[in-house]
Amino acid sequence: AQSVTQLGSHVSVSEGALVLLRCNYSSSVPPYLFWYVQYPNQGLQLLLKYTSAATLVKGINGFEAEFKKSETSFHLTKPSAHMSDAAEYFCAVSETPGNTGKLIFGQGTTLQVKP
Amino acid sequence: DTAVSQTPKYLVTQMGNDKSIKCEQNLGHDTMYWYKQDSKKFLKIMFSYNNKELIINETVPNRFSPKSPDKAHLNLHINSLELGDSAVYFCASGLTSGANVLTFGAGSRLTVL
């Protein structure tokens, strides 16, 4: 069975500092991996996705993530945090296409950005 | 135009009541989902419909009954509401032929008193 683990339920950084949100996955087949962001009282918005092409994936708002098969990781980074980045971030895994399209989510990481 | 819209956004009701949440998508997607987000913000899939056919039912109590009148709509009816049903329910849609990217609605916050 597939699963996702996000290390750190709460991450706090200063404005302008590096953002690093950790995600490790478990999958018996080549996975598709996603990061979603949830702003307060809103739905989830796709930040970026990995679908077996380039291992370094660039997303919206300056975020990027690197797929490392040997470490079963898909960590999310941003060089310089902005106050508007404060939100809940979810890593998710899906089986490759041809099936249900179901996403399995990690438990989420709350990103706090201090001025 | 909202891509995935859910109504109502907030729902407060008493235990034992029956309530429905509606969802519509205008993206032309062939698959729709209901996810439940609990108080700890954990997201778990409940149901999925592909072209009006139920394809995922994740051991959800049978008090929950999804209905898909067409591939653009997926409604969720909940009977005999319990305190533990309080959560945010998210509707989502996607293309199974695509890269499994889901588009989510804004959520419906259900509070059972």
Side-chain angles (χ1 to χ4, degrees):
Chain A
Q2 294 178 307
S3 65
V4 173
T5 302
Q6 291 182 238
L7 298 175
S9 60
H10 192 99
V11 170
S12 182
V13 301
S14 297
E15 190 174 20
L18 171 72
V19 175
L20 171 60
L21 305 183
R22 300 177 187 273
C23 172
N24 287 89
Y25 70 91
S26 171
S27 177
S28 59
V29 297
Y32 280 15
L33 293 160
F34 307 82
W35 276 99
Y36 280 83
V37 61
Q38 183 180 24
Y39 298 104
N41 298 315
Q42 294 187 29
L44 281 78
Q45 179 183 1
L46 180 70
L47 271 179
L48 48 81
K49 64 181 186 290
Y50 167 76
T51 57
S52 72
T55 57
L56 182 61
V57 180
K58 294 188 184 299
I60 62 172
N61 301 339
F63 284 93
E64 62 181 38
E66 185 172 9
F67 172 70
K68 292 187 177 180
K69 184 178 178 180
S70 61
E71 299 177 6
T72 60
S73 69
F74 189 58
H75 301 332
L76 181 71
T77 60
K78 182 174 180 177
S80 177
H82 192 271
M83 296 296 291
S84 61
D85 295 327
E88 191 78 18
Y89 291 80
F90 293 94
C91 183
V93 64
S94 174
E95 296 172 355
T96 49
N99 65 355
T100 62
K102 165 182 157 181
L103 289 183
I104 297 168
F105 286 89
Q107 60 271 52
T109 298
T110 303
L111 176 64
Q112 180 187 25
V113 182
K114 297 177 291 186
Chain B
D1 285 343
T2 303
V4 180
S5 59
Q6 302 178 224
T7 55
K9 188 171 177 63
Y10 299 98
L11 189 53
V12 180
T13 189
Q14 299 287 330
M15 269 198 314
N17 284 350
D18 303 339
K19 291 294 177 185
S20 293
I21 306 172
K22 296 186 176 183
C23 180
E24 176 181 5
Q25 56 96 1
N26 62 6
L27 298 167
H29 289 164
D30 58 4
T31 306
M32 296 184 72
Y33 307 79
W34 280 111
Y35 278 82
K36 179 180 180 181
Q37 185 174 46
D38 63 23
S39 59
K40 295 183 179 178
K41 298 193 176 179
F42 183 64
L43 280 154
K44 189 169 173 15
I45 191 168
M46 300 174 68
F47 300 104
S48 172
Y49 270 76
N50 178 266
N51 285 321
K52 303 194 298 178
E53 180 183 351
L54 181 66
I55 54 173
I56 296 177
N57 183 340
E58 290 281 317
T59 60
V60 177
N62 57 15
R63 296 183 296 103
F64 290 78
S65 53
K67 284 189 171 51
S68 182
D70 56 60
K71 70 175 188 178
H73 295 82
L74 179 62
N75 304 323
L76 183 65
H77 188 75
I78 315 170
N79 290 325
S80 304
L81 279 157
E82 300 177 356
L83 293 177
D85 297 332
S86 295
V88 181
Y89 293 86
F90 285 101
C91 178
S93 70
L95 282 170
T96 49
S97 61
N100 297 353
V101 174
L102 299 190
T103 301
F104 284 81
S108 296
R109 181 176 294 276
L110 172 65
T111 303
V112 182
L113 303 176

